[in-house]
Structure formats: C-alpha cells, structure tokens
Amino acid sequence: MKMKTIALAPAVLAAAVLLIAAPASAARGNIGFGFNATDISGFPSGAARLTGGGAYNPGTGFVKSAGGFRCTSNVGQGPLTGCLAGQGVRWDTADVDQVLLPSTTFKCTGAATEPLKTATTDEDTIVLVADFYRAGDGNDESFTAQMIVSADDIAPDIDGIQNVWIQGVGCASAIAHFSS
C-alpha cells in the first residue's frame, strides 16, 4: 500500500500544478494602446483634438490612461458643453468606480436618423470614462465624458474610418495602435 501511495504522489503533484497553472495561463495580460485624433466632430457644434494612450485589461477592469486634449471649436452639447475653441490641456482616466466600460452605445452625429451603434471593450477597442481638463482648473476636472478608441472602424455606416469617439462631440479617424 505504501508503494502505491509513493507511486501516485508524483501524478497527484503534477495534476495539482496543472490545475493551478491553467487559470494563470488563461488570464490575459494588459493591453497597451496609443492614438492621435486631430478632428473629432459630428455633433451640431464643437470639435476636439485628442492624443494619448495607456494600458487596460478587459478581464480585470484595470485601466490607466492619459493624454492631450484641446477643443478646436466651441462645444454646445453633451458632457463637454462650454469647452471653447482653444481650451483644453489634458485628459486622464476618470476617478470613478467603473471607468473601463464593458460597452457603450453611441452616435457619431447625434442626428435622430443616425442608427445607434455599440462599441465593446476587447483586445482592439477600449471604452472608458475620462476626465478632461482646461488650463486654470488645476487638478479639478473640467468635464467628464465617455470615449472610445479602436483599431477598427466603429461606425461602418459613416463614410471613412471612424475609430475615436468623444461623447457629445462625435467621431474621427485616428492613428491608433494596440498591443498585448
């Protein structure tokens, strides 16, 4: 009986190692992203420029991101209402409970006739809540809004490639890179 126990010990240990290692190897690591969008627009008024990047993990909800931001024309609707042409310095991940969103619905133009679209966070797309800052507001965010950055076209029903969106401002084509 002692010989059988000794003979089974390596098999049991090997099985335990595999069971413990399987979830660890299945866990996805952080995904890095970077982008540059120069003309985000589409809603009745306003436009913005947005650059930046960071890292996120759809499996854990982790996100850390930041970049540059500027309103290039006055925004008159949505969360960035009151951002005037030339205002804006930076953006970063919002300091709220759920900043990496699993998905969101959006429109690029805000028109009643535009179909509502959905963007989902995955290896090539990030949906998040961001704080936007104007000069003079210091570390107090001026605006908080959702944004999307994707390696792919998020609005195939609109001419051209639309792969960046700011809530209440619109969509734009951007240079965007994702890596894991």
Side-chain angles (χ1 to χ4, degrees), residues 96-107:
V96 296
D97 287 341
Q98 190 170 6
V99 294
L100 181 64
L101 302 174
S103 65
T104 194
T105 56
F106 70 98
K107 290 185 175 192

Side-chain angles (χ1 to χ4, degrees), residues 2-77:
K2 191 174 187 179
M3 289 297 277
K4 284 183 182 178
T5 305
I6 293 172
L8 283 177
V12 171
L13 287 173
V17 168
L18 287 175
L19 287 174
I20 292 168
S25 65
R28 297 184 297 192
N30 291 342
I31 299 167
F33 74 103
F35 70 98
N36 182 21
T38 58
D39 188 27
I40 302 167
S41 63
F43 273 65
S45 67
R49 181 172 63 221
L50 198 61
T51 64
Y56 67 103
N57 188 316
T60 65
F62 165 80
V63 62
K64 186 74 170 175
S65 58
F69 150 74
R70 172 101 23 174
C71 287
T72 55
S73 67
N74 299 351
V75 179
Q77 68 285 312

Side-chain angles (χ1 to χ4, degrees), residues 2-175:
K2 191 174 187 179
M3 289 297 277
K4 284 183 182 178
T5 305
I6 293 172
L8 283 177
V12 171
L13 287 173
V17 168
L18 287 175
L19 287 174
I20 292 168
S25 65
R28 297 184 297 192
N30 291 342
I31 299 167
F33 74 103
F35 70 98
N36 182 21
T38 58
D39 188 27
I40 302 167
S41 63
F43 273 65
S45 67
R49 181 172 63 221
L50 198 61
T51 64
Y56 67 103
N57 188 316
T60 65
F62 165 80
V63 62
K64 186 74 170 175
S65 58
F69 150 74
R70 172 101 23 174
C71 287
T72 55
S73 67
N74 299 351
V75 179
Q77 68 285 312
L80 271 67
T81 297
C83 186
L84 304 177
Q87 291 183 332
V89 176
R90 65 182 179 92
W91 68 273
D92 62 20
T93 309
D95 189 18
V96 296
D97 287 341
Q98 190 170 6
V99 294
L100 181 64
L101 302 174
S103 65
T104 194
T105 56
F106 70 98
K107 290 185 175 192
C108 286
T109 67
T113 57
E114 179 187 357
L116 193 61
K117 295 168 254 315
T118 301
T120 302
T121 295
D122 60 22
E123 293 79 17
D124 296 315
T125 302
I126 181 170
V127 180
L128 62 97
V129 179
D131 288 331
F132 297 84
Y133 300 83
R134 292 184 287 201
D137 289 342
N139 286 330
D140 297 324
E141 64 273 0
S142 309
F143 313 100
T144 300
Q146 291 182 16
M147 60 184 266
I148 301 167
V149 179
S150 181
D152 304 314
D153 191 356
I154 60 173
D157 59 320
I158 296 177
D159 288 341
I161 302 294
Q162 312 300 316
N163 58 342
V164 170
W165 170 79
I166 300 174
Q167 184 180 11
V169 178
C171 296
S173 178
I175 299 168

